Structures are given as structure tokens and as C-alpha cells.
Amino acid sequence: MNILTEEFKTPFNTVPFEQLKNEYFLPALNKAILIGKDEIAAIVSNTQTPDFFNTIEALERSGELVDRISHIFFNLNAAETNPEIQQLAKEISPLLTAFANDIMLDEALFERVKWVHEQQDEFILTAEQKTLLDKVYKGFIRNGANLNNNDKEQLREIDRQLGQLALLFGEHVLSETNAYTLEITQKEDLAGLPESVLEAAAMAASKRNKPAHWVFTLQAPSYLPFMTYAENRQLREKLYQAYASRACKPNENDNHSVIMELVQLRNERAKLLGFGSHAEYVLQERMAETPQKVNSFLDDLLQYALPVAREELAAITAYAQQYQELATLQRWDIPYYSEKLKKEKYNIDDEVLKPYFKLENVVGGIFEVAKRLYGLVFKENNDIETYHPDVKVYEVNEANGQHLGIFYADFFPRPGKRNGAWMTSFRGQKNVNGQVQRPHIAIVCNFTQPTSTKPSLLTFNEVKTLFHEFGHALHGLLANGTYTSLTGTNVFWDFVELPSQVMENWTYEKECLDLFARHFETGELLPAELVQKIKDSSNFMAGYATVRQVGLARLDMAWHTVAPNTITNVDTFENEILQKTELLPQVEGTNISCSFSHIFQGGYSSGYYSYKWAEVLDADAFEFFQERGVFNKETSQLFRKHILSAGGSEPPMQLYKRFRGKEPSPEALLRRSGLLRPNQTS
Ligand SMILES: [Zn+2]
């Protein structure tokens, strides 16, 4: 028996992780694909006249077993992988690509879809059904349904190669991140580092059986504090070099040629489908619509951010000169001196705040926020199985006790976990003729671990990350649609960060912090003046940060709009594009693109701009909350109804206007981040 193809006989039909074995995946998936193909064959051979239900809806409901198995598999590959799973991924990815392509290139199926699309005025369809029909139809066109057989073959081959290259890119970055350690044996080299960081480094050393006393790694909870606090400039430079040269050194993990192949193939694919570039292809289904709009959006922000960023760096340089002779400020100086200056200016740093942000308290706090805004109740359930003992599981209910979904929270770094933080799902939400399936949502993070003497104490940034991912989770949990592919986070990419980023705003509100920010030892509430300082300091270096984000977004756009045959060298190309946003000296042997996993491994290609785009939305949305109080029920109900529960059921601008009563304006963002000077208007 293979449990992956059976109905899960577990609480809430959650994944039975404890009985799951790696060898189940491939046979289960092969079986699921056969079932999926039968379902498609049944649609195609249906002798009735094609209509929305026997074609579009039937297609939406097909392949569910494939989806279930692949969700579980890829969630594990991201959060708890090992060489065996990585090897399996190489076999599974091409199978899934082939299955998806078989559907997309099925001519008889496309004929039916096309017919329904052309006859749509004959049917009475809801807005949601119209969106689904349009999405399905465009999906076919965008996947080559209108191509001749030769071109279809070529498209399949390109997709197969692209899938493998993306996996390869990610493996290279993961290997390089895990391969490097900075071993320190002299206590004086640790000057400036807080006690908690030293403890973690000592623990990392003993875990590795290293003769050294302290070990630092390239994983964020180790790398970032070292860059922020270590006085030893040479060591900061050394660690920076290691971090920024990941996957761009001439070894077996070099991503230079992977990038060239990726952009070449993406461009070929776009051309084959009738688009000018990969970016044009991607943006056809985005709120931003075209590369021109994205670039002018970015240039607009840059125009406000650059002068502020230059002033900020001048201030840091002047400040740093008090401590040491610095001919030029280098990249490994920025986190260190900006933290020092920030501390002097606001007398606030992570170490002062961390005792108030014990992980368990913050989690309790965010549940309370969800209760005040949406009436939700989170209840831990230890009977639900997990893929790792660190993972916590909660039942989520409405205020009236009605079951809403399952929430998994996986907080700490492990060698088999990807860097960063993300939300994902084990199953989505849907409504089949009144039978509602509620979603199973997970967030995966890499937060500061507890030590032998201290619980997990989060930095303020980690608190914001938790609120961010929790916002995505709410989008998933509050989904209330008919079709899985139009619910939860299944929205346009430049809209998906609105629910997450808007949640970050609450972390600056005293009313919110008072719910959970208590000292883990004394129980004292985070003092009001510290809350004010957090607010005041939140715009510290905002210009620099904006320029950096815009730089990455422009780099992403460039990789996917410039004709690849005009690009001869990854490094030269990158430098050329970054020139406009470059405020610091180049560092030999480092490169951003080779570890830019967002755009070369994940799905953010031609989409990195969407972080800023969504910031415009979230700043504008939060001003609406602020106008009537941050826990105002009417505002939160509007947000729940039109944004969180609506998913991708209608075009995002329409949904947004229904919530806000107007289109978003960039001024709220410029105002919030202090980039709009009094005499300027946007
Ligand atoms: Zn996000």
C-alpha cells in the first residue's frame, strides 16, 4: 500500500508524515499522473457540447492527486531535504513538466476550451467563473496551444531544460552556503559581538567537532549578526567575500553558465510564443502589465530615493571616520557602522529589543492580532503529524468555532532547509457543490534558535518577517472561493505581497506591541519610549535600502528584457546594469546574479519589482486602517472580504478599489519611508 495515493485517515486529512517514506513518491506520482490523464481523456471524449462545467470546471478539478503529492514533495524538498530527496526531485520535476505540457498541448482539449471561450456570452457565468475561463484559455495560449507540432516539441524540450537548470541553480547556492565556515580561535577577534551570538557560534563549533572555539556560517542568523557587530574589519570582509561569492567561483557549484543558459532559453521560449522578451511574456499576467511600466515605476522611486541614499552614506562615512581611517566605505562596513550610528541616534539595537521578543510570546501575539482583526482562534494540536519535531501545528477556527484550516509553523534553521522564510500550503481551499475543503497552510522560517541558557529571542526584523509570512498564511487560511486555482495566494504576483506586507505595519504600533512584547525574564512591557524609537528608526537608511531593492529589480528586468545574444559576460552585464544604483565600490570576485535564487531558482523572474509595487499597495492600505484605528472591525472586514477571501477571483485592481474605495497612490509609501520631502509631490 502506498499512503500517498490513499485517502489520509488522519485528523482533518492532514499529511501522515510519520508513515511517509521517500520511496513512496515516485510510484505514487506515476499512478496519480495516470489517473490525471484518464480525467483529461474523459473531458475530451465527452460527447456533449462543450460548456463551462464539462470543460473548464472539469479541467480545474482534474489532476488533484498529482497536486497533492507534488505539494508534499516540494515542501519537503524546501524545508527538510537530503541527497535522496534532491535526487528524487531530478526525476520528479521532468515528470510533472511533461504531465502539465501534455495537457497544455492537447489539441482536442484546447479546441473545447477555445470553443467555450468564444461562446462565453452564451453562458451565464459568475465573475469568478469568467476569471477561471479567461485564465484557462490564456494558459493554453501562453503554453503553446496555437503552435505547430515542431514548435510544440521545441517548447517541451525548453521547459524540460529550464526545470532542471532551476534546480541545479538552487543546489549550487545551497551547497555553497553550507560549504563555508569561518572558524575563530582568538577571543579578541570576537570583539563587539553580543553574548547570544557568541553562544550560538560556540554551539555551532561543538556541533561540528571543530577544534575551533567559534564557528560562523553563511546562514542568516549567523552571518547577519557577525556583519552587524564584529569590530574586526578584516574578518567582516572575509565573511562578506564568502557570502557574496557564493556560486560564482570557478568550481563545481559555479552558476555563471547556468544563468546564461537560463536567460537564453527563457528568451527563446518567449519568442516562440510571440512575445518580445521573457519579461513581456511574464508581465502580460501582472498588475503592472509591461516592462516599460515596471521600469518607469522603478525609475520614479529611484528619483526620490537616490538623493536620500547619498546623504545617508555620507553621514555613515563621516561617522565611521571617528573610529578608523577609512579611505572608502566598503560593503562590509555598512551593516556595522549603520547599526552603530543607528544605536547612537536612537539608542536602540537588536540586543535591547530581543528580550521583549521571545518567539512564543510573538507567536501568541500574532494569534491575538488575528483574533482582534478577524476573530480567529488558533489551538495547538499535537495529534497532527509533522515532518520534523520542531514543527508546530494549530487548528484555526472562526470566532463561532467553525473550522477554517490547519496552520503549520516551522521556525528554526536546519542544514536541509532553504534560506529565508516562506509560506506554502499542503492543500488549498475549494468548494465543490457546497462541499468545502479547508486549506492546510505552512510557514517556514530560519529564526534565531534557543541556546542552552536562553529561549529563542527574535530580532525586530525577525518579528516583522513572522508578521509578513503570517499575512501570507492568512491569505491562504481565509480563502473562500470555489476553485483552488483562484483562491488564497493564487493571485497575480505583484499583488501577492499585499496581505503579507500590510501585516508588517502592525509591528510598529504600540497598541499591537502591547499585546505580546514583554521582557522574557521580568515580564515588563516594552517601554513606550522604545516603541517610539522603533518607529523613528524604521526609516533609518530607507533611501539606501530602496536604492538596493530598485537595483535588484532593475537587474532582474534587465536579465529578462535584453536580448541574450548581446550578453557576453555575466559579470560585465551585471555591473553595467547596477551602475545607476551603485553607491559603493565594486568588490572583486563577488556577484549578485549567481546567488539570486529569487529570479533564477524561484518564480520571481521579471517579478522582483513586485516587492516595491506591493509596498505601494500596503502603505496605501494601512493608511486606511490607521484612519479608523488599527484594529477597526469595519476596515478589517472589508480587507478580509475583498482581499484575503477573494484570492484571484477577479482582477486585483477591482478588488483593491472595492476595499479602499479608490486606486492606490505611491504617496503613502513615500510618506511612510520619509522619501517625500516637504516641497515634493509625487
Ligand atoms: Zn512575501
Side-chain angles (χ1 to χ4, degrees):
M1 194 191 80
N2 189 328
I3 48 158
L4 281 171
T5 53
E6 306 290 317
E7 192 193 330
F8 296 158
K9 296 196 174 59
T10 47
F12 303 98
N13 303 108
T14 45
V15 182
F17 287 109
E18 284 164 19
Q19 303 161 56
L20 194 55
K21 296 194 176 106
N22 287 343
E23 64 256 35
Y24 290 164
F25 282 109
L26 212 47
L29 195 68
N30 277 317
K31 185 175 171 187
I33 287 174
L34 286 179
I35 295 171
K37 284 183 173 171
D38 282 348
E39 288 164 345
I40 299 296
I43 298 171
V44 172
S45 62
N46 191 330
T47 50
Q48 287 174 329
T49 313
D51 63 24
F52 176 83
F53 297 99
N54 69 22
T55 303
I56 306 299
E57 190 176 88
L59 186 55
E60 163 76 14
R61 305 294 191 208
S62 70
E64 285 187 341
L65 194 54
V66 175
D67 287 345
R68 182 172 88 176
I69 297 164
S70 50
H71 269 85
I72 298 169
F73 179 77
F74 285 104
N75 285 339
L76 288 179
N77 193 32
E80 181 63 5
T81 196
N82 55 49
E84 198 184 336
I85 292 181
Q86 284 176 340
Q87 183 53 41
L88 268 175
K90 283 186 191 150
E91 296 173 58
I92 284 176
S93 289
L95 286 179
L96 291 173
T97 308
F99 176 57
N101 283 338
D102 277 341
I103 296 172
M104 282 299 154
L105 301 178
D106 184 321
E107 286 172 22
L109 181 63
F110 176 59
E111 281 313 308
R112 289 183 71 99
V113 170
K114 198 172 169 181
W115 199 88
V116 177
H117 189 258
E118 279 164 3
Q119 310 296 316
Q120 59 179 299
D121 293 341
E122 308 296 316
F123 310 115
I124 299 160
L125 298 177
T126 64
E128 190 184 18
Q129 290 167 337
K130 275 192 188 131
T131 303
L132 185 65
L133 171 57
D134 194 53
K135 186 174 175 170
V136 169
Y137 176 72
K138 263 199 191 146
F140 274 93
I141 300 291
R142 290 167 61 79
N143 279 286
N146 271 343
L147 298 181
N148 66 39
N149 284 339
N150 273 350
D151 287 350
K152 277 182 187 170
E153 251 332 291
Q154 202 193 336
L155 189 69
R156 289 171 76 108
E157 178 54 23
I158 291 176
D159 283 332
R160 194 188 60 77
Q161 291 179 31
L162 281 174
Q164 287 184 342
L165 284 167
L167 280 173
L168 189 64
F169 186 95
E171 276 170 30
H172 287 168
V173 175
L174 186 62
S175 304
E176 289 268 294
T177 304
N178 287 338
Y180 182 88
T181 52
L182 175 66
E183 292 172 39
I184 292 178
T185 51
Q186 307 297 315
K187 181 110 199 184
E188 60 265 31
D189 288 335
L190 300 162
L193 290 163
E195 200 52 44
S196 62
V197 175
L198 294 182
E199 261 182 52
M203 206 158 91
S206 71
K207 240 190 211 164
R208 284 172 175 77
N209 275 327
K210 295 270 182 180
H213 294 105
W214 297 274
V215 162
F216 292 88
T217 71
L218 299 182
Q219 271 145 3
S222 180
Y223 174 77
L224 294 176
F226 194 90
M227 297 309 290
T228 310
Y229 297 111
E231 277 175 25
N232 188 319
R233 195 179 187 219
Q234 276 82 35
L235 287 177
R236 285 203 316 267
E237 177 176 354
K238 201 171 160 190
L239 198 63
Y240 174 84
Q241 277 280 0
Y243 188 82
S245 64
R246 282 175 307 156
C248 72
K249 297 176 288 292
N251 62 21
E252 72 279 9
N253 292 322
D254 190 355
N255 269 337
H256 277 96
S257 62
V258 181
I259 291 172
M260 291 299 264
E261 277 183 73
L262 270 168
V263 293
Q264 177 65 45
L265 284 169
R266 282 173 177 173
N267 184 264
E268 265 176 50
R269 187 181 194 282
K271 288 274 164 66
L272 203 56
L273 293 168
F275 294 87
S277 64
H278 179 69
E280 272 183 34
Y281 166 79
V282 170
L283 290 165
Q284 191 199 39
E285 290 207 310
R286 300 285 154 94
M287 210 170 169
E289 294 176 323
T290 64
Q292 292 74 17
K293 270 196 195 169
V294 172
N295 283 325
S296 75
F297 167 77
L298 294 171
D299 285 346
D300 196 29
L301 284 179
L302 202 55
Q303 176 202 324
Y304 289 97
L306 262 179
V308 181
R310 289 205 181 93
E311 284 172 27
E312 289 164 352
L313 286 181
I316 297 269
T317 307
Y319 174 76
Q321 302 290 1
Q322 302 173 37
Y323 293 89
Q324 64 187 123
E325 282 290 318
L326 283 182
T328 12
L329 201 65
Q330 299 287 352
R331 275 154 219 275
W332 45 89
D333 296 320
I334 303 291
Y336 177 73
Y337 282 112
S338 61
E339 179 68 20
K340 242 175 144 65
L341 176 58
K342 188 177 174 183
K343 190 175 179 187
E344 207 171 285
K345 238 176 145 170
Y346 304 102
N347 190 22
I348 188 173
D349 73 9
D350 279 343
E351 293 308 308
V352 174
L353 296 173
K354 277 167 75 172
Y356 295 94
F357 296 134
K358 185 175 140 185
L359 176 68
E360 290 77 5
N361 293 348
V362 182
V363 172
I366 204 160
F367 289 166
E368 182 60 29
V369 169
K371 188 176 181 179
R372 293 191 181 209
L373 289 172
Y374 307 114
L376 308 189
V377 179
F378 286 74
K379 192 175 87 195
E380 192 165 356
N381 183 332
N382 293 318
D383 295 334
I384 295 175
E385 297 173 21
T386 63
Y387 54 88
H388 189 278
D390 279 357
V391 182
K392 301 221 174 293
V393 197
Y394 303 85
E395 275 175 54
V396 189
N397 293 326
E398 297 269 21
N400 65 9
Q402 199 186 330
H403 176 71
L404 258 182
I406 298 296
F407 177 62
Y408 298 84
D410 178 2
F411 290 125
F412 304 121
R414 292 186 292 269
K417 196 191 268 193
R418 242 173 58 196
N419 282 335
W422 63 94
M423 166 271 197
T424 182
S425 68
F426 285 98
R427 75 175 200 194
Q429 185 266 330
K430 64 179 175 181
N431 183 341
V432 186
N433 304 321
Q435 287 266 61
V436 178
Q437 171 183 289
R438 294 307 309 169
H440 297 169
I441 304 297
I443 62 170
V444 187
C445 311
N446 279 284
F447 289 153
T448 307
Q449 264 167 314
T451 66
S452 51
T453 59
K454 281 199 187 87
S456 166
L457 300 175
L458 303 186
T459 64
F460 183 65
N461 253 330
E462 288 175 326
V463 173
K464 272 203 296 187
T465 301
L466 180 55
F467 272 68
H468 178 104
E469 298 310 330
F470 191 75
H472 283 310
L474 288 176
H475 205 182
L477 287 164
L478 293 173
N480 189 22
T482 313
Y483 307 112
T484 309
S485 68
L486 296 181
T487 63
T489 52
N490 291 315
V491 299
F492 282 168
W493 270 87
D494 45 4
F495 192 58
V496 78
E497 297 296 330
L498 166 62
S500 51
Q501 289 181 182
V502 80
M503 284 306 294
E504 294 180 29
N505 290 284
W506 272 268
T507 62
Y508 295 100
E509 297 295 320
K510 171 122 177 68
E511 214 181 327
C512 169
L513 289 165
D514 278 354
L515 299 174
F516 65 88
R518 287 180 181 279
H519 196 284
F520 79 105
E521 282 168 333
T522 65
E524 177 210 5
L525 215 50
L526 184 65
E529 60 271 22
L530 277 182
V531 178
Q532 190 54 47
K533 276 179 184 165
I534 295 177
K535 263 188 169 168
D536 292 344
S537 67
S538 66
N539 284 337
F540 182 68
M541 300 289 279
Y544 176 77
T546 303
V547 171
R548 209 187 123 69
Q549 283 283 93
V550 169
L552 292 173
R554 291 179 78 254
L555 181 61
D556 168 32
M557 287 309 290
W559 274 122
H560 300 109
T561 47
V562 176
N565 56 11
T566 64
I567 304 171
T568 48
N569 179 296
V570 170
D571 300 275
T572 327
F573 181 72
E574 176 177 308
N575 291 341
E576 204 178 292
I577 301 303
L578 290 179
Q579 225 166 27
K580 205 171 166 181
T581 50
E582 214 48 279
L583 300 164
L584 293 160
Q586 285 289 307
V587 181
E588 203 54 45
T590 69
N591 149 317
I592 290 172
S593 301
C594 286
S595 55
F596 201 171
S597 301
H598 269 85
I599 66 165
F600 293 123
Q601 179 195 7
Y604 268 81
S605 65
S606 312
Y608 200 83
Y609 76 90
S610 62
Y611 281 111
K612 277 287 154 203
W613 187 271
E615 270 185 62
V616 166
L617 297 179
D618 95 66
D620 191 68
F622 192 65
E623 276 196 354
F624 194 38
F625 275 97
Q626 280 177 314
E627 282 164 18
R628 295 193 280 184
V630 296
F631 290 120
N632 180 279
K633 277 267 162 18
E634 282 163 46
T635 317
S636 60
Q637 284 316 307
L638 285 172
F639 195 71
R640 176 174 179 167
K641 184 176 174 201
H642 298 300
I643 308 288
L644 297 175
S645 296
S649 58
E650 285 181 76
M653 189 57 91
Q654 280 179 30
L655 295 175
Y656 190 84
K657 274 157 61 181
R658 244 173 253 156
F659 152 67
R660 186 66 166 102
K662 66 175 188 72
E663 285 199 9
S665 109
E667 290 201 14
L669 173 62
L670 293 170
R671 227 180 344 260
R672 185 178 69 185
S673 44
L675 299 178
L676 196 65
R677 297 291 162 85
N679 58 347
Q680 289 175 317
T681 48
S682 142

